[in-house]
Amino acid sequence: MNIVAAAAALIAGPAMAAKVTAPPVYTIDVAPNGNPYLPVRVKNAELNIRIALSFDTAMILNQAPADRAGLKPFPFIGKRTFKNALIPGGEATFRFNLATITPRGLPNKKVPVVWVSRPVAGDSDGVLTIGALKADRIDVVLRPAMPGSQVYTLRKNGGGETGINARVGDEKIDVSLELNSPVTVMNARAAQALVDGKIVKRGSTIGYWQPFPGVNLPYQGLVANPGATLLGLPLRQMGARVSEAEARRIDAEARAGTSDSNDDADTITVTADRKKKGRAPWILIGRDILDSCSRISFDRAGERWLLTCKFS
């Protein structure tokens, strides 16, 4: 081999090695806190990103990592300020654009990236949905397989989405999985459907859902009736979103949360005309259920989730 050929081989070698193809199965082990994380290259920086099982294809970042990466908002329309009880501090500036991301060991993918002036992740640089990972199947491993486990199949909505549909009575409920939530949380319409279906009953306890740092949204505890399940999964520790006023009515000593009298429609008390009130029903299945699983598989090719669990 002459010098020119050798130089060409040296140049071509790394370029060819850098090309990554989508694997049929990609495995992520959870960290000690029970969440999965991946190094993800975003423009000028490699970021530590928590992988979420819920929401559709997008990445949400804290402000400082976005600055390190060199992200710039889309001209003219790429910056907005919003007020909402779900936002840390009740108000934040959102900047957004499309960006090419590279999760370690996976091909590049262009996704919407949003970065927020207030912290949206306290444990990482940001959050990326599992649906943005280019593999036919992504296995999230929580622990070694447990003897006597069963595989539970949950059909997802299709089209690459992570959500699952459940029907309770005359309500179609959007169900998602979320390892970052210690309990299963739902909005008022979903809770009323479960109450009407004799699946759960309302309790007298108040808890606080913390979807983002500095956000404490009250929920009313729900008690599962004997043998109650949703999508074949046994119901355990649940809460239905309520307003601050309702939380104080249920428990006069409830500590203050971050929402106010203008809280979102998820907390509206549902009446007979519930189809006209509040947001569409949703349920976020948390670790109260998912901690009984050893493996959670996002099977894109099969348009389904596969949960390997042992419920005692």
Side-chain angles (χ1 to χ4, degrees):
M1 180 183 291
N2 61 33
I3 295 175
V4 174
L10 288 172
I11 294 170
M16 294 175 63
K19 182 176 177 58
V20 177
T21 57
V25 180
Y26 186 78
T27 301
I28 311 172
D29 293 325
V30 300
N33 68 358
N35 279 314
Y37 298 87
L38 272 183
V40 179
R41 167 66 58 175
V42 183
K43 293 195 71 176
N44 302 331
E46 185 170 87
L47 306 179
N48 177 38
I49 299 297
R50 171 163 36 95
I51 303 302
L53 307 185
S54 58
F55 75 91
D56 292 330
T57 302
M59 173 181 277
I60 306 174
L61 295 176
N62 295 331
Q63 182 70 53
D67 292 341
R68 291 204 310 273
L71 290 170
K72 302 296 181 185
F74 193 82
F76 305 114
I77 62 171
K79 178 180 176 181
R80 292 284 190 276
T81 297
F82 296 99
K83 294 182 179 181
N84 191 284
L86 280 171
I87 298 172
E91 179 179 339
T93 299
F94 289 67
R95 295 173 174 84
F96 53 92
N97 208 330
L98 292 175
T100 298
I101 65 169
T102 310
R104 182 172 292 178
L106 290 171
N108 298 341
K109 185 176 179 65
K110 182 166 283 191
V111 301
V113 178
V114 180
W115 56 105
V116 187
S117 60
R118 293 182 181 272
V120 293
D123 59 337
S124 61
D125 291 322
V127 186
L128 175 68
T129 174
I130 197 170
L133 304 181
K134 276 190 174 181
D136 289 340
R137 170 170 157 168
I138 299 101
D139 285 356
V140 177
V141 178
L142 284 72
R143 58 184 54 82
M146 297 174 284
S149 295
Q150 298 182 41
V151 177
Y152 296 79
T153 301
L154 311 181
R155 292 287 170 186
K156 64 188 189 69
N157 295 337
E161 297 177 348
T162 58
I164 305 153
N165 285 332
R167 182 164 290 278
V168 178
D170 61 353
E171 291 278 30
K172 185 171 75 171
I173 301 175
D174 183 26
V175 180
S176 298
L177 311 177
E178 186 48 71
L179 285 167
N180 199 47
S181 180
V183 301
T184 293
V185 182
M186 66 194 74
N187 69 351
R189 276 183 61 176
Q192 191 62 43
L194 267 59
V195 170
D196 292 345
K198 311 296 183 186
I199 297 171
V200 304
K201 56 187 176 183
R202 297 187 183 276
S204 58
T205 60
I206 293 296
Y208 283 82
W209 179 39
Q210 298 176 316
F212 303 107
V215 173
N216 298 294
L217 301 176
Y219 62 79
Q220 178 185 13
L222 302 173
V223 180
N225 290 319
T229 62
L230 179 70
L231 297 169
L233 306 175
L235 294 176
R236 292 178 169 174
Q237 188 177 355
M238 299 163 289
R241 286 279 289 111
V242 293
S243 66
E244 293 289 344
E246 184 72 2
R248 290 189 175 90
R249 187 193 68 77
I250 296 168
D251 181 0
E253 296 181 355
R255 65 181 176 82
T258 59
S259 52
D260 57 27
S261 59
N262 297 314
D263 202 356
D264 59 57
D266 283 334
T267 68
I268 291 175
T269 301
V270 181
T271 59
D273 61 343
R274 61 185 176 274
K275 289 185 179 180
K276 298 180 181 179
K277 291 191 174 184
R279 292 183 178 155
W282 57 263
I283 297 176
L284 194 71
I285 293 179
R287 294 240 302 273
D288 57 307
I289 293 174
L290 300 179
D291 271 348
S292 293
C293 303
S294 57
R295 184 178 297 257
I296 299 171
S297 300
F298 177 70
D299 182 9
R300 177 182 282 109
E303 295 287 3
R304 60 186 180 171
W305 289 90
L306 300 171
L307 277 59
T308 304
C309 314
K310 181 181 181 181
F311 297 107
S312 55

